Amino acid sequence: MALVRVRGQLRQLADGCAEHELEGAIVVELLRQLERDHPAVAGWILDERGQIRRHINVFVNGERGEESTPVGPDDRVDVLPAISGG
Amino acid sequence: MTELIVGTKKGLFVLNGKADGSFEVSARAFAGEPVDYATRDPRSGRVLAATSSPIYGPKLWYTEDPAGEWMQAAGVELPEDAGAALERLWVITPAESEDCLLAGGDPGVLFESEDAGASWRVNEALWKHPTRSSWQPGGGGLCLHSIAPWPGNADRLAVAVSAAGVWLTEDRGRTWRQGNNGLVARYLPEDAQVGVTALCVHHMERSPQRPERLFMQFHGGVYRSDDAGETWSDIGNGLPSDFGFPLTIDPADPDRAYVIPLRADTDRVTPDGRVRVYETTDAGTSWSALAEGLPQTDAYLTVLRQAFDSTGAAEALELYFGATSGELFGSRDAGASWFTAASRLPPIYSLAASR
């Protein structure tokens, strides 16, 4: 299973848990599984279309990923809010 | 005691009036998050707030105590097959049926709740209206910002969308038709103005005393309808600018309305560096400037469409408006004189007054 890490507000919504071992072949499948495990996360990372919100960044083993990025069982996925000024 | 629920760029503020007439912040919520709209449902006492985190998207919240825990409402999203995401919520309004609320958002969507705001669903008839492909977003997006229930009749409702004009229903939202006769889109070429749907309504209010009467601030023009939104007459003559965003009314007097003109079109600040509210007491035949106590020199304020509200009625009408400067002004004598209720809030997006 891949390891999905969330922090800050997303961690709170995920029942306070920062690290989640999840099943899935691509990023969006992992994120959907995260929503099923922790329903309060629904709508916060993925929008109604199943797309990663514009200002959320997903990294797979340290490299920018997107919804369709393949994920292996030993991979690490970090979900981070974008750092932006203004 | 008057309560002001203020949505700002940096969270929600609740201001309570004190015995000496001043206001103090009694609660703050959603620190750092844009609060686009917030209001208290006078029937349940519940406070509802719409936030739009640039990171996590728009959410709708409710609470019995603004200083306490807030619950996230369910169902505030577009249908999965919409091919679009909800951008922002613009307004939350109690409907006529008990425990029913309505909310408007971008892209031109109306939400309905039957459980006092805990869960919501999209009004399908408006969402799937055949004309939708011709709706065009205004500068603030394709925002459904005005909801005007008909007092005592839950079947009748008017909503306004920028820029898709006025929509009317007489069957509780099962069918919708346009109510745009008389509106003139001066921002379009003359030969493109006829029959256009892209009508940029900025704000619309219904008189509870005479529900067939509606007032509207348009994108260039102030209008009145005396036939429930079927037809509109321009009543902007006499204003220093007929451009602006907010509008409020006296619930006790169908002839009385207030606007805050801004300099058109790209400037969008108070004309001549003077902050003036304009009042009509004859349904728009004439307008009078109300400025006593408001800044009259070098004051270039922007007042957004949801940042002007009233509470009370007649001579006891209280008026409040907030500016993007973070200043909040009030009047307890129907606009005859004004005071500064707060001067250093974040940019003010919305204001709801009650007592």
Side-chain angles (χ1 to χ4, degrees):
Chain A
M1 289 196 286
L3 180 67
V4 176
R5 304 196 301 190
V6 294
R7 58 174 69 173
Q9 206 162 358
L10 295 176
R11 176 179 175 172
Q12 292 175 27
L13 292 164
D15 299 308
C17 184
E19 298 190 349
H20 305 262
E21 292 192 340
L22 300 170
E23 295 277 6
I26 57 175
V27 163
V28 75
E29 291 179 4
L30 295 177
L31 297 176
R32 287 296 193 205
Q33 185 61 49
L34 181 66
E35 290 180 344
R36 285 191 288 274
D37 293 349
H38 304 280
V41 174
W44 287 70
I45 302 172
L46 300 171
D47 67 19
E48 299 96 317
R49 299 165 292 187
Q51 295 179 1
I52 297 169
R53 291 192 177 279
R54 189 167 55 238
H55 295 295
I56 288 185
N57 294 325
V58 172
F59 294 84
V60 178
N61 301 326
E63 294 190 10
R64 282 292 294 271
E66 53 190 25
E67 293 85 352
S68 59
T69 301
V71 183
D74 298 322
D75 286 342
R76 187 188 76 247
V77 177
D78 288 290
V79 182
L80 304 171
I83 305 300
S84 58
Chain B
M1 183 174 67
T2 300
E3 176 189 71
L4 306 177
I5 297 180
V6 185
T8 80
K9 185 178 181 180
K10 297 290 183 182
L12 178 142
F13 293 81
V14 179
L15 279 69
N16 283 325
K18 299 195 295 183
D20 65 1
S22 64
F23 280 81
E24 64 180 356
V25 174
S26 61
R28 188 182 178 206
F30 309 109
E33 295 285 331
V35 175
D36 299 308
Y37 192 84
T39 191
R40 185 185 289 276
D41 184 344
R43 303 167 302 181
S44 63
R46 180 171 279 184
V47 177
L48 300 108
T51 63
S52 60
S53 160
I55 297 170
Y56 302 116
K59 312 285 183 225
L60 199 157
W61 307 83
Y62 61 94
T63 186
E64 316 304 327
D65 173 13
E69 185 181 3
W70 290 74
M71 303 292 291
Q72 185 183 338
V76 187
E77 57 191 15
L78 300 185
E80 283 189 12
D81 61 357
L86 181 66
E87 293 291 331
R88 178 173 169 175
L89 292 162
W90 278 88
V91 66
I92 307 162
T93 303
E96 282 307 298
S97 302
E98 189 178 355
D99 288 335
C100 287
L101 288 153
L102 300 164
D106 178 355
V109 59
L110 179 68
F111 291 97
E112 303 164 311
S113 170
E114 294 179 345
D115 56 7
S119 65
W120 299 77
R121 65 172 183 273
V122 170
N123 178 283
E124 290 277 336
L126 189 62
W127 177 252
K128 293 180 176 174
H129 199 277
T131 63
R132 176 167 284 271
S133 62
S134 68
W135 298 15
Q136 291 185 13
L142 184 57
C143 48
L144 194 160
H145 51 66
S146 294
I147 300 173
W150 189 291
N153 186 347
D155 288 344
R156 301 191 69 171
L157 182 68
V159 303
V161 183
S162 173
V166 176
W167 292 88
L168 310 172
T169 180
E170 294 173 358
D171 55 12
R172 206 173 291 214
R174 284 188 282 276
T175 61
W176 295 88
R177 58 192 170 81
Q178 291 170 292
N180 297 326
N181 292 320
L183 300 178
V184 180
R186 300 197 307 245
Y187 46 83
L188 294 176
E190 283 186 8
D191 53 2
Q193 293 175 358
V194 180
V196 69
T197 298
L199 291 160
C200 193
V201 183
H202 283 184
H203 196 104
M204 181 179 72
E205 293 281 347
R206 186 193 301 278
S207 167
Q209 284 291 320
R210 185 174 162 183
E212 67 275 17
R213 171 162 288 174
L214 294 140
F215 288 95
M216 176 197 292
Q217 174 68 65
F218 194 66
H219 185 116
V222 177
Y223 288 87
R224 190 190 78 228
S225 173
D226 289 338
D227 56 8
E230 299 287 347
T231 60
W232 297 86
S233 302
D234 194 343
I235 56 169
N237 194 29
L239 293 167
S241 164
D242 63 4
F243 185 92
F245 287 93
L247 180 155
T248 195
I249 58 167
D250 180 350
D253 184 351
D255 291 339
R256 201 178 207 183
Y258 300 83
V259 295
I260 304 176
L262 301 179
R263 189 167 177 272
D265 180 357
T266 56
D267 199 9
R268 304 187 177 194
V269 296
T270 43
D272 307 318
R274 301 169 64 191
V275 181
R276 289 168 290 177
V277 175
Y278 277 76
E279 175 192 45
T280 180
T281 57
D282 53 16
T285 303
S286 63
W287 295 90
S288 303
L290 305 173
E292 185 183 325
L294 293 173
Q296 296 302 301
T297 54
D298 298 340
Y300 298 90
L301 303 189
T302 297
V303 183
L304 299 177
R305 75 177 92 235
Q306 308 294 29
F308 189 20
D309 197 18
S310 64
T311 185
E315 297 314 306
L317 183 72
E318 297 181 33
L319 298 162
Y320 296 91
F321 67 93
T324 56
S325 63
E327 294 164 287
L328 198 164
F329 301 98
S331 170
R332 295 190 185 90
D333 52 13
S337 64
W338 295 83
F339 60 93
T340 301
S343 55
R344 296 182 184 85
L345 294 176
I348 293 172
Y349 290 171
S350 75
L351 188 156
S354 61
R355 63 183 185 190

